[in-house]
Amino acid sequence: MHKRILIVEDEASIREMVAFAVRKADMEPIHAEDAQAAQLAIADTVPDLVLLDWMLPGTSGLEFARRMRREELTREVPIIMLTARGEEMDRVSGLEAGVDDYVVKPFSTRELIARIKAVLRRSHGDDEAGMIEIGGLRLDGPAHRVFAGEEPVRIGPTEYRLLYFFMTHPERVYSRSQLLDHVWGGSVYVEERTVDVHIRRLRKALEPWKLDNLVQTVRGAGYRFSGNV
């Protein structure tokens, strides 16, 4: 089955260019010119990935990303932000809103398709894992869900991948660059600060159950996941 890619972009020329590249890569493009049209498209068919322009009319791409992460239907749908904003704080804002990757305009369609494929691989690569339980936290690989005791933990796709890696490699310290290689993949350029952003988001998701201390900072070395608190 072809992967469905929702393209949320108000500039028709960019939308058509991206849609052409998506079709050429044997994926199915779905068009939306703003957040409202995107919401209707999602209600009709949940996409496999969303390409989301930052500067949309009405509801911004950043706010729409936050909305997607709040809603059960779209919480685990990967998001790539298309943006002309290249400043570090802007990128961090996108990551903190739950965006999985970003591509700065102007971009080549070849780079964009490579990013789409990389994010899709990362998002769907852990389904074969079994049940893992550490320190009261349980990860169900086949169901792609996380539980604190018997309660489900709401967690974004990147935080899920990070947690999956930690829980399958407990009690070991990993540097930021090592985590980038293992969780994001060495073929995708992402800054090391990205790791800190997603560590914060992961801890925040675990905080209601006082399990955030399972993710430990090792000063001068990186991060470790440990049930020995």
Side-chain angles (χ1 to χ4, degrees), residues 179-227:
L179 288 171
L180 284 175
D181 285 342
H182 287 295
V183 179
W184 279 261
S187 62
V188 177
Y189 173 73
V190 185
E191 294 175 359
E192 289 194 0
R193 184 169 177 179
T194 299
V195 175
D196 299 332
V197 172
H198 288 289
I199 289 285
R200 284 201 302 270
R201 288 177 58 84
L202 176 57
R203 283 173 170 160
K204 187 175 180 180
L206 301 177
E207 195 173 16
W209 295 273
K210 295 182 169 38
L211 295 174
D212 49 304
N213 55 3
L214 294 173
V215 183
Q216 301 169 1
T217 301
V218 181
R219 191 173 298 277
Y223 296 101
R224 171 180 58 215
F225 188 89
S226 175

mmCIF file of all heavy atoms in Angstrom, residues 179-227:
data_model
loop_
_atom_site.group_PDB
_atom_site.id
_atom_site.type_symbol
_atom_site.label_atom_id
_atom_site.label_comp_id
_atom_site.label_asym_id
_atom_site.label_seq_id
_atom_site.Cartn_x
_atom_site.Cartn_y
_atom_site.Cartn_z
ATOM 1 N N LEU A 179 23.200 9.015 20.472
ATOM 2 C CA LEU A 179 21.730 8.943 20.416
ATOM 3 C C LEU A 179 21.217 9.408 19.055
ATOM 4 O O LEU A 179 20.282 8.824 18.508
ATOM 5 C CB LEU A 179 21.110 9.779 21.540
ATOM 6 C CG LEU A 179 21.268 9.192 22.948
ATOM 7 C CD1 LEU A 179 20.824 10.200 23.998
ATOM 8 C CD2 LEU A 179 20.484 7.895 23.091
ATOM 9 N N LEU A 180 21.833 10.448 18.506
ATOM 10 C CA LEU A 180 21.440 10.907 17.167
ATOM 11 C C LEU A 180 21.635 9.792 16.143
ATOM 12 O O LEU A 180 20.767 9.546 15.304
ATOM 13 C CB LEU A 180 22.252 12.135 16.758
ATOM 14 C CG LEU A 180 21.860 13.466 17.405
ATOM 15 C CD1 LEU A 180 22.831 14.555 16.986
ATOM 16 C CD2 LEU A 180 20.440 13.864 17.030
ATOM 17 N N ASP A 181 22.759 9.099 16.211
ATOM 18 C CA ASP A 181 23.032 8.008 15.268
ATOM 19 C C ASP A 181 22.028 6.874 15.417
ATOM 20 O O ASP A 181 21.498 6.354 14.432
ATOM 21 C CB ASP A 181 24.448 7.462 15.473
ATOM 22 C CG ASP A 181 25.522 8.385 14.921
ATOM 23 O OD1 ASP A 181 25.182 9.252 14.104
ATOM 24 O OD2 ASP A 181 26.693 8.238 15.323
ATOM 25 N N HIS A 182 21.752 6.481 16.662
ATOM 26 C CA HIS A 182 20.898 5.320 16.908
ATOM 27 C C HIS A 182 19.411 5.618 16.708
ATOM 28 O O HIS A 182 18.667 4.775 16.210
ATOM 29 C CB HIS A 182 21.110 4.799 18.328
ATOM 30 C CG HIS A 182 22.414 4.094 18.528
ATOM 31 N ND1 HIS A 182 22.722 2.909 17.899
ATOM 32 C CD2 HIS A 182 23.504 4.413 19.274
ATOM 33 C CE1 HIS A 182 23.934 2.525 18.252
ATOM 34 N NE2 HIS A 182 24.437 3.416 19.079
ATOM 35 N N VAL A 183 18.972 6.802 17.125
ATOM 36 C CA VAL A 183 17.529 7.112 17.118
ATOM 37 C C VAL A 183 17.107 7.854 15.854
ATOM 38 O O VAL A 183 16.054 7.562 15.277
ATOM 39 C CB VAL A 183 17.146 7.926 18.378
ATOM 40 C CG1 VAL A 183 15.655 8.270 18.375
ATOM 41 C CG2 VAL A 183 17.500 7.146 19.646
ATOM 42 N N TRP A 184 17.914 8.810 15.426
ATOM 43 C CA TRP A 184 17.564 9.596 14.234
ATOM 44 C C TRP A 184 18.167 9.006 12.959
ATOM 45 O O TRP A 184 17.648 9.236 11.887
ATOM 46 C CB TRP A 184 18.015 11.048 14.401
ATOM 47 C CG TRP A 184 17.065 11.870 15.223
ATOM 48 C CD1 TRP A 184 16.107 12.719 14.753
ATOM 49 C CD2 TRP A 184 16.990 11.931 16.656
ATOM 50 N NE1 TRP A 184 15.438 13.299 15.809
ATOM 51 C CE2 TRP A 184 15.954 12.831 16.988
ATOM 52 C CE3 TRP A 184 17.686 11.315 17.688
ATOM 53 C CZ2 TRP A 184 15.609 13.125 18.300
ATOM 54 C CZ3 TRP A 184 17.339 11.597 18.988
ATOM 55 C CH2 TRP A 184 16.312 12.488 19.296
ATOM 56 N N GLY A 185 19.270 8.298 13.085
ATOM 57 C CA GLY A 185 19.926 7.723 11.911
ATOM 58 C C GLY A 185 21.055 8.617 11.436
ATOM 59 O O GLY A 185 20.895 9.832 11.336
ATOM 60 N N GLY A 186 22.184 8.007 11.118
ATOM 61 C CA GLY A 186 23.370 8.772 10.739
ATOM 62 C C GLY A 186 23.242 9.499 9.411
ATOM 63 O O GLY A 186 23.996 10.412 9.126
ATOM 64 N N SER A 187 22.259 9.118 8.579
ATOM 65 C CA SER A 187 22.131 9.733 7.260
ATOM 66 C C SER A 187 21.366 11.045 7.286
ATOM 67 O O SER A 187 21.285 11.742 6.291
ATOM 68 C CB SER A 187 21.414 8.764 6.304
ATOM 69 O OG SER A 187 20.116 8.484 6.774
ATOM 70 N N VAL A 188 20.786 11.390 8.439
ATOM 71 C CA VAL A 188 19.989 12.616 8.553
ATOM 72 C C VAL A 188 20.726 13.614 9.434
ATOM 73 O O VAL A 188 21.173 13.274 10.530
ATOM 74 C CB VAL A 188 18.594 12.304 9.153
ATOM 75 C CG1 VAL A 188 17.794 13.577 9.342
ATOM 76 C CG2 VAL A 188 17.839 11.336 8.252
ATOM 77 N N TYR A 189 20.873 14.857 8.936
ATOM 78 C CA TYR A 189 21.567 15.873 9.718
ATOM 79 C C TYR A 189 20.602 16.502 10.716
ATOM 80 O O TYR A 189 19.607 17.107 10.338
ATOM 81 C CB TYR A 189 22.152 16.966 8.829
ATOM 82 C CG TYR A 189 22.717 18.100 9.655
ATOM 83 C CD1 TYR A 189 23.920 17.931 10.360
ATOM 84 C CD2 TYR A 189 22.037 19.298 9.785
ATOM 85 C CE1 TYR A 189 24.426 18.945 11.142
ATOM 86 C CE2 TYR A 189 22.544 20.320 10.571
ATOM 87 C CZ TYR A 189 23.736 20.139 11.249
ATOM 88 O OH TYR A 189 24.231 21.132 12.042
ATOM 89 N N VAL A 190 20.885 16.299 11.985
ATOM 90 C CA VAL A 190 20.114 16.929 13.057
ATOM 91 C C VAL A 190 21.113 17.417 14.088
ATOM 92 O O VAL A 190 22.088 16.732 14.401
ATOM 93 C CB VAL A 190 19.126 15.922 13.722
ATOM 94 C CG1 VAL A 190 18.262 16.628 14.755
ATOM 95 C CG2 VAL A 190 18.258 15.250 12.687
ATOM 96 N N GLU A 191 20.875 18.609 14.641
ATOM 97 C CA GLU A 191 21.803 19.162 15.616
ATOM 98 C C GLU A 191 21.704 18.425 16.948
ATOM 99 O O GLU A 191 20.646 17.893 17.305
ATOM 100 C CB GLU A 191 21.496 20.651 15.830
ATOM 101 C CG GLU A 191 21.749 21.500 14.597
ATOM 102 C CD GLU A 191 21.321 22.943 14.803
ATOM 103 O OE1 GLU A 191 20.811 23.248 15.899
ATOM 104 O OE2 GLU A 191 21.506 23.739 13.882
ATOM 105 N N GLU A 192 22.824 18.413 17.696
ATOM 106 C CA GLU A 192 22.853 17.695 18.969
ATOM 107 C C GLU A 192 21.850 18.255 19.972
ATOM 108 O O GLU A 192 21.338 17.523 20.822
ATOM 109 C CB GLU A 192 24.269 17.715 19.560
ATOM 110 C CG GLU A 192 25.248 16.836 18.789
ATOM 111 C CD GLU A 192 26.546 16.585 19.541
ATOM 112 O OE1 GLU A 192 26.696 17.089 20.673
ATOM 113 O OE2 GLU A 192 27.409 15.884 18.994
ATOM 114 N N ARG A 193 21.536 19.539 19.880
ATOM 115 C CA ARG A 193 20.580 20.134 20.821
ATOM 116 C C ARG A 193 19.196 19.502 20.669
ATOM 117 O O ARG A 193 18.393 19.528 21.599
ATOM 118 C CB ARG A 193 20.504 21.647 20.593
ATOM 119 C CG ARG A 193 19.596 22.333 21.601
ATOM 120 C CD ARG A 193 19.716 23.833 21.572
ATOM 121 N NE ARG A 193 18.773 24.449 22.495
ATOM 122 C CZ ARG A 193 18.674 25.738 22.699
ATOM 123 N NH1 ARG A 193 19.470 26.558 22.051
ATOM 124 N NH2 ARG A 193 17.803 26.224 23.540
ATOM 125 N N THR A 194 18.932 18.942 19.506
ATOM 126 C CA THR A 194 17.664 18.244 19.272
ATOM 127 C C THR A 194 17.442 17.156 20.326
ATOM 128 O O THR A 194 16.318 16.949 20.803
ATOM 129 C CB THR A 194 17.669 17.600 17.869
ATOM 130 O OG1 THR A 194 17.824 18.628 16.901
ATOM 131 C CG2 THR A 194 16.380 16.836 17.599
ATOM 132 N N VAL A 195 18.505 16.459 20.700
ATOM 133 C CA VAL A 195 18.399 15.396 21.697
ATOM 134 C C VAL A 195 17.879 15.964 23.017
ATOM 135 O O VAL A 195 16.979 15.393 23.644
ATOM 136 C CB VAL A 195 19.764 14.702 21.912
ATOM 137 C CG1 VAL A 195 19.680 13.686 23.044
ATOM 138 C CG2 VAL A 195 20.224 14.029 20.631
ATOM 139 N N ASP A 196 18.430 17.102 23.449
ATOM 140 C CA ASP A 196 18.007 17.709 24.718
ATOM 141 C C ASP A 196 16.527 18.065 24.697
ATOM 142 O O ASP A 196 15.813 17.880 25.690
ATOM 143 C CB ASP A 196 18.834 18.964 25.001
ATOM 144 C CG ASP A 196 20.329 18.669 25.130
ATOM 145 O OD1 ASP A 196 20.667 17.543 25.535
ATOM 146 O OD2 ASP A 196 21.137 19.553 24.831
ATOM 147 N N VAL A 197 16.064 18.577 23.559
ATOM 148 C CA VAL A 197 14.646 18.947 23.437
ATOM 149 C C VAL A 197 13.756 17.727 23.636
ATOM 150 O O VAL A 197 12.771 17.762 24.392
ATOM 151 C CB VAL A 197 14.362 19.591 22.057
ATOM 152 C CG1 VAL A 197 12.861 19.786 21.853
ATOM 153 C CG2 VAL A 197 15.087 20.925 21.927
ATOM 154 N N HIS A 198 14.097 16.618 22.989
ATOM 155 C CA HIS A 198 13.249 15.429 23.081
ATOM 156 C C HIS A 198 13.406 14.707 24.418
ATOM 157 O O HIS A 198 12.459 14.063 24.879
ATOM 158 C CB HIS A 198 13.522 14.503 21.900
ATOM 159 C CG HIS A 198 12.976 15.042 20.611
ATOM 160 N ND1 HIS A 198 11.621 15.097 20.349
ATOM 161 C CD2 HIS A 198 13.580 15.599 19.539
ATOM 162 C CE1 HIS A 198 11.430 15.631 19.165
ATOM 163 N NE2 HIS A 198 12.608 15.950 18.655
ATOM 164 N N ILE A 199 14.560 14.830 25.042
ATOM 165 C CA ILE A 199 14.716 14.307 26.407
ATOM 166 C C ILE A 199 13.761 15.048 27.343
ATOM 167 O O ILE A 199 13.080 14.433 28.180
ATOM 168 C CB ILE A 199 16.176 14.460 26.899
ATOM 169 C CG1 ILE A 199 17.108 13.491 26.155
ATOM 170 C CG2 ILE A 199 16.249 14.262 28.409
ATOM 171 C CD1 ILE A 199 17.015 12.037 26.593
ATOM 172 N N ARG A 200 13.685 16.374 27.208
ATOM 173 C CA ARG A 200 12.757 17.167 28.034
ATOM 174 C C ARG A 200 11.323 16.739 27.797
ATOM 175 O O ARG A 200 10.536 16.603 28.740
ATOM 176 C CB ARG A 200 12.918 18.664 27.740
ATOM 177 C CG ARG A 200 14.146 19.294 28.349
ATOM 178 C CD ARG A 200 14.005 20.804 28.470
ATOM 179 N NE ARG A 200 13.743 21.449 27.189
ATOM 180 C CZ ARG A 200 14.702 21.895 26.372
ATOM 181 N NH1 ARG A 200 15.971 21.709 26.682
ATOM 182 N NH2 ARG A 200 14.389 22.494 25.249
ATOM 183 N N ARG A 201 10.958 16.535 26.534
ATOM 184 C CA ARG A 201 9.593 16.122 26.207
ATOM 185 C C ARG A 201 9.293 14.724 26.764
ATOM 186 O O ARG A 201 8.187 14.466 27.254
ATOM 187 C CB ARG A 201 9.378 16.145 24.689
ATOM 188 C CG ARG A 201 9.302 17.545 24.100
ATOM 189 C CD ARG A 201 9.166 17.499 22.586
ATOM 190 N NE ARG A 201 7.985 16.754 22.195
ATOM 191 C CZ ARG A 201 6.755 17.267 22.116
ATOM 192 N NH1 ARG A 201 6.542 18.531 22.425
ATOM 193 N NH2 ARG A 201 5.740 16.521 21.735
ATOM 194 N N LEU A 202 10.263 13.834 26.693
ATOM 195 C CA LEU A 202 10.075 12.486 27.233
ATOM 196 C C LEU A 202 9.889 12.532 28.744
ATOM 197 O O LEU A 202 8.986 11.886 29.299
ATOM 198 C CB LEU A 202 11.286 11.616 26.864
ATOM 199 C CG LEU A 202 11.304 10.188 27.420
ATOM 200 C CD1 LEU A 202 10.061 9.420 27.001
ATOM 201 C CD2 LEU A 202 12.568 9.458 26.953
ATOM 202 N N ARG A 203 10.729 13.298 29.423
ATOM 203 C CA ARG A 203 10.594 13.414 30.883
ATOM 204 C C ARG A 203 9.244 14.023 31.268
ATOM 205 O O ARG A 203 8.606 13.590 32.231
ATOM 206 C CB ARG A 203 11.740 14.266 31.438
ATOM 207 C CG ARG A 203 13.069 13.519 31.514
ATOM 208 C CD ARG A 203 14.191 14.453 31.904
ATOM 209 N NE ARG A 203 15.420 13.721 32.209
ATOM 210 C CZ ARG A 203 16.622 14.272 32.199
ATOM 211 N NH1 ARG A 203 16.770 15.560 31.881
ATOM 212 N NH2 ARG A 203 17.689 13.550 32.491
ATOM 213 N N LYS A 204 8.814 15.019 30.508
ATOM 214 C CA LYS A 204 7.527 15.653 30.802
ATOM 215 C C LYS A 204 6.381 14.656 30.662
ATOM 216 O O LYS A 204 5.420 14.668 31.442
ATOM 217 C CB LYS A 204 7.312 16.838 29.857
ATOM 218 C CG LYS A 204 6.079 17.667 30.185
ATOM 219 C CD LYS A 204 5.980 18.896 29.297
ATOM 220 C CE LYS A 204 4.741 19.721 29.632
ATOM 221 N NZ LYS A 204 4.627 20.913 28.769
ATOM 222 N N ALA A 205 6.471 13.758 29.661
ATOM 223 C CA ALA A 205 5.427 12.749 29.459
ATOM 224 C C ALA A 205 5.390 11.754 30.616
ATOM 225 O O ALA A 205 4.326 11.235 30.973
ATOM 226 C CB ALA A 205 5.657 12.016 28.138
ATOM 227 N N LEU A 206 6.554 11.476 31.217
ATOM 228 C CA LEU A 206 6.640 10.494 32.303
ATOM 229 C C LEU A 206 6.410 11.112 33.684
ATOM 230 O O LEU A 206 6.179 10.391 34.660
ATOM 231 C CB LEU A 206 8.024 9.822 32.287
ATOM 232 C CG LEU A 206 8.409 9.082 30.999
ATOM 233 C CD1 LEU A 206 9.826 8.531 31.121
ATOM 234 C CD2 LEU A 206 7.421 7.961 30.696
ATOM 235 N N GLU A 207 6.455 12.433 33.752
ATOM 236 C CA GLU A 207 6.401 13.141 35.034
ATOM 237 C C GLU A 207 5.142 12.864 35.863
ATOM 238 O O GLU A 207 5.238 12.715 37.089
ATOM 239 C CB GLU A 207 6.549 14.646 34.787
ATOM 240 C CG GLU A 207 6.874 15.439 36.023
ATOM 241 C CD GLU A 207 7.171 16.897 35.692
ATOM 242 O OE1 GLU A 207 6.837 17.339 34.569
ATOM 243 O OE2 GLU A 207 7.721 17.572 36.556
ATOM 244 N N PRO A 208 3.938 12.767 35.255
ATOM 245 C CA PRO A 208 2.736 12.533 36.082
ATOM 246 C C PRO A 208 2.816 11.264 36.929
ATOM 247 O O PRO A 208 2.138 11.160 37.949
ATOM 248 C CB PRO A 208 1.614 12.431 35.042
ATOM 249 C CG PRO A 208 2.107 13.219 33.876
ATOM 250 C CD PRO A 208 3.585 12.987 33.845
ATOM 251 N N TRP A 209 3.626 10.302 36.523
ATOM 252 C CA TRP A 209 3.773 9.044 37.270
ATOM 253 C C TRP A 209 5.093 8.998 38.055
ATOM 254 O O TRP A 209 5.486 7.958 38.555
ATOM 255 C CB TRP A 209 3.702 7.849 36.321
ATOM 256 C CG TRP A 209 2.349 7.743 35.680
ATOM 257 C CD1 TRP A 209 1.241 7.108 36.173
ATOM 258 C CD2 TRP A 209 1.962 8.319 34.427
ATOM 259 N NE1 TRP A 209 0.182 7.257 35.305
ATOM 260 C CE2 TRP A 209 0.595 7.991 34.221
ATOM 261 C CE3 TRP A 209 2.624 9.082 33.461
ATOM 262 C CZ2 TRP A 209 -0.103 8.395 33.093
ATOM 263 C CZ3 TRP A 209 1.928 9.494 32.340
ATOM 264 C CH2 TRP A 209 0.580 9.149 32.160
ATOM 265 N N LYS A 210 5.764 10.178 38.129
ATOM 266 C CA LYS A 210 7.057 10.270 38.815
ATOM 267 C C LYS A 210 8.073 9.250 38.275
ATOM 268 O O LYS A 210 8.865 8.671 39.019
ATOM 269 C CB LYS A 210 6.870 10.100 40.333
ATOM 270 C CG LYS A 210 6.059 11.222 40.970
ATOM 271 C CD LYS A 210 5.959 11.026 42.466
ATOM 272 C CE LYS A 210 5.394 12.253 43.179
ATOM 273 N NZ LYS A 210 4.330 12.979 42.507
ATOM 274 N N LEU A 211 8.019 9.055 36.957
ATOM 275 C CA LEU A 211 8.954 8.144 36.298
ATOM 276 C C LEU A 211 9.982 8.894 35.453
ATOM 277 O O LEU A 211 10.786 8.274 34.760
ATOM 278 C CB LEU A 211 8.191 7.150 35.413
ATOM 279 C CG LEU A 211 7.256 6.177 36.150
ATOM 280 C CD1 LEU A 211 6.453 5.349 35.153
ATOM 281 C CD2 LEU A 211 8.050 5.271 37.079
ATOM 282 N N ASP A 212 9.946 10.227 35.507
ATOM 283 C CA ASP A 212 10.872 11.019 34.696
ATOM 284 C C ASP A 212 12.325 10.813 35.127
ATOM 285 O O ASP A 212 13.248 11.012 34.333
ATOM 286 C CB ASP A 212 10.511 12.511 34.770
ATOM 287 C CG ASP A 212 10.314 12.999 36.203
ATOM 288 O OD1 ASP A 212 9.481 12.412 36.908
ATOM 289 O OD2 ASP A 212 10.999 13.952 36.597
ATOM 290 N N ASN A 213 12.513 10.380 36.408
ATOM 291 C CA ASN A 213 13.896 10.175 36.872
ATOM 292 C C ASN A 213 14.515 8.884 36.342
ATOM 293 O O ASN A 213 15.689 8.602 36.612
ATOM 294 C CB ASN A 213 13.963 10.205 38.404
ATOM 295 C CG ASN A 213 13.014 9.205 39.056
ATOM 296 O OD1 ASN A 213 12.332 8.450 38.369
ATOM 297 N ND2 ASN A 213 12.968 9.206 40.382
ATOM 298 N N LEU A 214 13.747 8.095 35.574
ATOM 299 C CA LEU A 214 14.339 6.944 34.896
ATOM 300 C C LEU A 214 15.319 7.390 33.806
ATOM 301 O O LEU A 214 16.255 6.673 33.461
ATOM 302 C CB LEU A 214 13.245 6.067 34.263
ATOM 303 C CG LEU A 214 12.285 5.350 35.218
ATOM 304 C CD1 LEU A 214 11.168 4.665 34.436
ATOM 305 C CD2 LEU A 214 13.024 4.344 36.081
ATOM 306 N N VAL A 215 15.069 8.580 33.252
ATOM 307 C CA VAL A 215 15.953 9.156 32.226
ATOM 308 C C VAL A 215 16.941 10.065 32.944
ATOM 309 O O VAL A 215 16.591 11.143 33.400
ATOM 310 C CB VAL A 215 15.156 9.942 31.173
ATOM 311 C CG1 VAL A 215 16.087 10.461 30.087
ATOM 312 C CG2 VAL A 215 14.052 9.090 30.574
ATOM 313 N N GLN A 216 18.162 9.617 33.065
ATOM 314 C CA GLN A 216 19.149 10.281 33.911
ATOM 315 C C GLN A 216 20.206 11.010 33.082
ATOM 316 O O GLN A 216 20.673 10.487 32.061
ATOM 317 C CB GLN A 216 19.828 9.245 34.817
ATOM 318 C CG GLN A 216 18.840 8.510 35.711
ATOM 319 C CD GLN A 216 19.454 7.323 36.418
ATOM 320 O OE1 GLN A 216 20.645 7.037 36.275
ATOM 321 N NE2 GLN A 216 18.639 6.596 37.192
ATOM 322 N N THR A 217 20.544 12.210 33.534
ATOM 323 C CA THR A 217 21.635 12.968 32.917
ATOM 324 C C THR A 217 22.949 12.580 33.585
ATOM 325 O O THR A 217 23.046 12.595 34.811
ATOM 326 C CB THR A 217 21.409 14.481 33.087
ATOM 327 O OG1 THR A 217 20.167 14.846 32.472
ATOM 328 C CG2 THR A 217 22.547 15.282 32.444
ATOM 329 N N VAL A 218 23.925 12.208 32.780
ATOM 330 C CA VAL A 218 25.261 11.897 33.291
ATOM 331 C C VAL A 218 26.159 13.059 32.874
ATOM 332 O O VAL A 218 26.497 13.198 31.692
ATOM 333 C CB VAL A 218 25.788 10.563 32.733
ATOM 334 C CG1 VAL A 218 27.174 10.263 33.296
ATOM 335 C CG2 VAL A 218 24.817 9.434 33.060
ATOM 336 N N ARG A 219 26.476 13.898 33.840
ATOM 337 C CA ARG A 219 27.180 15.155 33.544
ATOM 338 C C ARG A 219 28.475 14.913 32.762
ATOM 339 O O ARG A 219 29.294 14.077 33.138
ATOM 340 C CB ARG A 219 27.478 15.897 34.845
ATOM 341 C CG ARG A 219 27.958 17.325 34.644
ATOM 342 C CD ARG A 219 28.058 18.045 35.977
ATOM 343 N NE ARG A 219 26.768 18.143 36.644
ATOM 344 C CZ ARG A 219 25.861 19.080 36.393
ATOM 345 N NH1 ARG A 219 26.100 19.976 35.437
ATOM 346 N NH2 ARG A 219 24.731 19.117 37.056
ATOM 347 N N GLY A 220 28.593 15.645 31.668
ATOM 348 C CA GLY A 220 29.798 15.562 30.852
ATOM 349 C C GLY A 220 29.869 14.350 29.938
ATOM 350 O O GLY A 220 30.828 14.192 29.187
ATOM 351 N N ALA A 221 28.828 13.476 29.990
ATOM 352 C CA ALA A 221 28.884 12.253 29.191
ATOM 353 C C ALA A 221 27.656 12.064 28.317
ATOM 354 O O ALA A 221 27.769 11.657 27.169
ATOM 355 C CB ALA A 221 29.056 11.026 30.102
ATOM 356 N N GLY A 222 26.451 12.341 28.839
ATOM 357 C CA GLY A 222 25.239 12.147 28.038
ATOM 358 C C GLY A 222 24.073 11.732 28.892
ATOM 359 O O GLY A 222 23.827 12.305 29.965
ATOM 360 N N TYR A 223 23.352 10.694 28.456
ATOM 361 C CA TYR A 223 22.135 10.258 29.134
ATOM 362 C C TYR A 223 22.138 8.745 29.330
ATOM 363 O O TYR A 223 22.743 8.003 28.558
ATOM 364 C CB TYR A 223 20.895 10.650 28.323
ATOM 365 C CG TYR A 223 20.700 12.138 28.189
ATOM 366 C CD1 TYR A 223 21.070 12.808 27.019
ATOM 367 C CD2 TYR A 223 20.161 12.894 29.232
ATOM 368 C CE1 TYR A 223 20.893 14.176 26.893
ATOM 369 C CE2 TYR A 223 19.977 14.267 29.117
ATOM 370 C CZ TYR A 223 20.351 14.897 27.940
ATOM 371 O OH TYR A 223 20.167 16.243 27.820
ATOM 372 N N ARG A 224 21.421 8.316 30.384
ATOM 373 C CA ARG A 224 21.297 6.898 30.690
ATOM 374 C C ARG A 224 19.858 6.624 31.126
ATOM 375 O O ARG A 224 19.223 7.447 31.798
ATOM 376 C CB ARG A 224 22.268 6.533 31.819
ATOM 377 C CG ARG A 224 22.089 5.115 32.400
ATOM 378 C CD ARG A 224 23.098 4.853 33.507
ATOM 379 N NE ARG A 224 22.969 5.831 34.581
ATOM 380 C CZ ARG A 224 23.992 6.319 35.288
ATOM 381 N NH1 ARG A 224 25.218 5.933 35.025
ATOM 382 N NH2 ARG A 224 23.789 7.202 36.244
ATOM 383 N N PHE A 225 19.327 5.453 30.755
ATOM 384 C CA PHE A 225 18.029 5.016 31.232
ATOM 385 C C PHE A 225 18.260 3.919 32.257
ATOM 386 O O PHE A 225 18.907 2.908 31.962
ATOM 387 C CB PHE A 225 17.170 4.478 30.081
ATOM 388 C CG PHE A 225 15.747 4.194 30.462
ATOM 389 C CD1 PHE A 225 14.783 5.177 30.374
ATOM 390 C CD2 PHE A 225 15.388 2.942 30.937
ATOM 391 C CE1 PHE A 225 13.475 4.927 30.736
ATOM 392 C CE2 PHE A 225 14.071 2.680 31.295
ATOM 393 C CZ PHE A 225 13.108 3.680 31.205
ATOM 394 N N SER A 226 17.757 4.137 33.489
ATOM 395 C CA SER A 226 18.049 3.188 34.555
ATOM 396 C C SER A 226 16.867 3.039 35.492
ATOM 397 O O SER A 226 16.252 4.034 35.900
ATOM 398 C CB SER A 226 19.281 3.659 35.348
ATOM 399 O OG SER A 226 19.510 2.813 36.449
ATOM 400 N N GLY A 227 16.570 1.787 35.854
ATOM 401 C CA GLY A 227 15.551 1.516 36.864
ATOM 402 C C GLY A 227 16.095 1.659 38.268
ATOM 403 O O GLY A 227 15.340 1.609 39.243
#
